[in-house]
Amino acid sequence: WNKTKVTIHHVWYYGWITAISTGVGVLPFLFISELNKFWMGISNGIAGGMMLAASYSLIYEGASFNDDDDASQRILNAFGRTIFGIIIGILFIIITKKILNKYDDLSIGDIDGVNAQKMILIIFVMTLHSLTEGIGIGVSFGGKSGTQLGQFISLSLAVHNIPEGLAVALVLTSRKFSKLQAGLWAIFTSLPQPIMAIPAFIFIENFVPYLPVGLGFAAGAMLYVSLFELLVEAIDDTSFIITAIISSISFIFMMLAQEIVKVSL
């Protein structure tokens, strides 16, 4: 597409790529009945490293933001707005986790035969889980570097969604759901990503000075999920050394991939 102009259609398209990638997590169950925890840890380590790279890119883009028409520079520079966004993003995830922890007894497998009220509650919990990722996709496509950064962040989230879909599949297949049903429910949990990406992109495009805040918000949320969820789980399922090596390789690979994307566009 045009190197400088990103449209809603591009954001919608990439949002769906990240959502559908969640269903890829079901594929291992076509060949095996149970997945070894070690390999679950490896996939979480890879996803964690990729999300750290994505967070770094978002922070760098937000902190280096420069617009001649940006009057808000007099009040708070781009770096300060990015840090503010990071804090909001981390707080958002912490608050969301507190809400989710109230419903620890709910599982996706309970959908079969559950009453309407509980079904709505489960949908709400799923929506919260993917909300930040959708905002991150939309925000990353804003600004002058939107094409490259948006593609990079979408790729990172798509890879991150695979072990997430794997986790959903583990629950569902153990409850006698078919592999097709497990795949569809896995994709369903990520539907907020394309849906939330559009309003986030429209907002950032029309209120450009908020771009560093938005990029910081997405980075803060990804940092928290990467450091305190994905990598912690990877260490539990493998070891600290293995996780450190795998996530470091993943981080370096994604940084190189971003450079390749920049050169090719």
Side-chain angles (χ1 to χ4, degrees), residues 156-171:
S156 301
L157 287 173
V159 174
H160 154 258
N161 282 350
I162 294 173
E164 199 170 272
L166 193 60
V168 173
L170 282 169
V171 175

Side-chain angles (χ1 to χ4, degrees), residues 1-4 14 147-149 151-152 155 255-265:
W1 70 57
N2 187 307
K3 291 183 181 181
T4 56
Y14 275 95
T147 303
Q148 299 98 321
L149 187 63
Q151 287 182 333
F152 177 64
L155 174 63
M255 295 308 296
L256 291 173
Q258 186 184 26
E259 291 303 313
I260 293 170
V261 169
K262 283 180 179 178
V263 171
S264 63
L265 291 172

